[in-house]
Amino acid sequence: MNAELSRVNRLVKKQEEIYHQCAKRAGLTDTQFWVLYALCEADAPLCQNSFCENWCYSKQTVNASVASLEKMGLLRLTYAEGSRKQKDITLTEEGECFCEKHIRRLLRAESAALMHLPTEERETFLATLERLLSCLEKELV
């Protein structure tokens, strides 16, 4: 069992390192990278609070990253329609160009890599990972 856990953790760390290197090559912190990644994946404005919840980041961490990306001219913040608190994040024209070079290229590579697995294997992998994480959360309660 310990060997399996060690293997799982090494694989997770390897995956984290792959994305960390992508962020580094783009001149971004990991959080900045994931904010832009989520924007590209959604292909629509992204609610800052939803990003925090869905991607397991603290509001403070995201606020700092969003502020720095805004200063870099890559994104803009606007109040969500009908709200005085919720802010939407959108890419600027410069951000679109940056994301095409650094983020969407990765999204295409991820998609191509995933397509190397048959549909059934992809579904089994995702379901198993979701179940493992759910069980881990329950064990830690």
Side-chain angles (χ1 to χ4, degrees), residues 25-74:
R25 279 192 298 275
L28 301 170
T29 66
D30 289 351
T31 309
Q32 290 170 330
F33 170 84
W34 287 112
V35 167
L36 294 176
Y37 182 101
L39 270 169
C40 291
E41 188 181 58
D43 210 21
L46 183 66
C47 172
Q48 197 166 349
N49 288 340
S50 295
F51 174 80
C52 293
E53 291 173 22
N54 294 333
W55 289 82
C56 305
Y57 278 105
S58 72
K59 288 181 182 180
Q60 296 86 346
T61 301
V62 171
N63 286 342
S65 293
V66 166
S68 62
L69 289 167
E70 192 173 28
K71 283 181 186 174
M72 294 165 68
L74 300 179

Side-chain angles (χ1 to χ4, degrees), residues 126-141:
L126 294 171
T128 303
L129 183 57
E130 286 174 345
R131 187 164 175 227
L132 176 64
L133 294 174
S134 175
C135 290
L136 178 59
E137 285 179 324
K138 288 176 184 171
E139 290 292 330
L140 292 172
V141 172

